[in-house]
Amino acid sequence: MKKAINAWAYPSDMPIAERMRLAADAGYDGIELIFTEEGDVSLQSSEGALREYRKIAEEYGLRIQSVIGSVFVSSSLASPDAAEADAAVERGARMLHGAAVLGADTALVVPGRVFKETENPNGRYDIVYDNAVKNVRRLAAHAAAAGVYVGIENVWNKFLLSPLEMRAFVDYAESPWVGVYFDVGNFMPWAYPEQWIRILGTRIKKLHFKDFKTGVGTGHGFVDLLEGDVDYAEVMRACREVGFDDYCIAEVGPFAQHPTLKLYTTAMAMDAIFAMK
């Protein structure tokens, strides 16, 4: 397995090139960038600018192996409004192309949310599901053209709440370019990550590493790696069973004081996790 760090692990005003330098110094193999609507790595970025970031990463011995697609905040793949759904697919297609230019092979996608104030007037699960499946299928064609996987992630969105449902959702896309971006810590209050890994198997394209204390039960339960209740030894056994040996990306925030120290402590924790039997 290879270890990488998410761009959110740094102070928000730190230039991307400096983030890459620190990632290399801390011993990471890769870095995950956030693909936004505006900014340094975004829908507004030129191919030349994206190629320059790829070049900088390679000079530091890093790979930009994945991007997080935050371009679906203002337009959802699960929207019942045809114009909004079309806009989401179009933005997703541009993100996938940008990811390819950066050298990434996976783009994280949140396909929908079952919240009453979003996606549809009633937040109905079945409507979100049907719309999301339909439009992920459309996005799959763009993924194939770009050579970049759509990685559906399990997040706190009241949607795709079990590994069996996630497996079916991905399979309904009917494309080898749609897989799972599995977050080890996100469903700790309700499930066991090692079970998800064994059930999803080769559908998993990337892993997000984080930890969680189940006794807290809210977003405040997320803690540094090896501080929580994730059974990482069992997670490693499950990964070996299904043959996962790709990138594991730590999705952590910086320390409030001496923020970049988190990069080094997280890298050490990941090395300890990888060594677990």
Side-chain angles (χ1 to χ4, degrees), residues 194-276:
E194 60 270 20
Q195 294 185 9
W196 281 68
I197 292 168
R198 290 187 172 102
I199 290 168
L200 295 172
T202 57
R203 296 170 184 81
I204 298 173
K205 304 306 176 186
K206 296 287 184 289
L207 290 179
H208 259 162
F209 271 19
K210 59 165 67 93
D211 215 331
F212 189 87
K213 289 187 176 181
T214 55
V216 177
T218 69
H220 295 292
F222 288 109
V223 293
D224 290 339
L225 295 180
L226 302 178
E227 279 195 316
D229 296 316
V230 173
D231 186 345
Y232 268 108
E234 191 62 28
V235 166
M236 287 296 98
R237 284 191 284 270
C239 287
R240 294 184 189 104
E241 286 177 22
V242 303
F244 180 85
D245 63 354
D246 208 286
Y247 281 86
C248 300
I249 301 96
E251 189 182 36
V252 297
F255 285 136
Q257 300 180 53
H258 203 322
T260 57
L261 182 62
K262 177 69 75 69
L263 302 175
Y264 297 86
T265 60
T266 299
M268 293 172 64
M270 293 183 79
D271 287 340
I273 290 169
F274 288 170
M276 290 178 176

Side-chain angles (χ1 to χ4, degrees), residues 16-24 31 53 56-57 60 62 64:
I16 291 177
E18 178 64 3
R19 300 184 195 206
M20 292 178 177
R21 184 190 72 79
L22 288 170
I31 187 169
Y53 284 129
I56 294 170
Y60 283 122
L62 298 172
I64 304 170

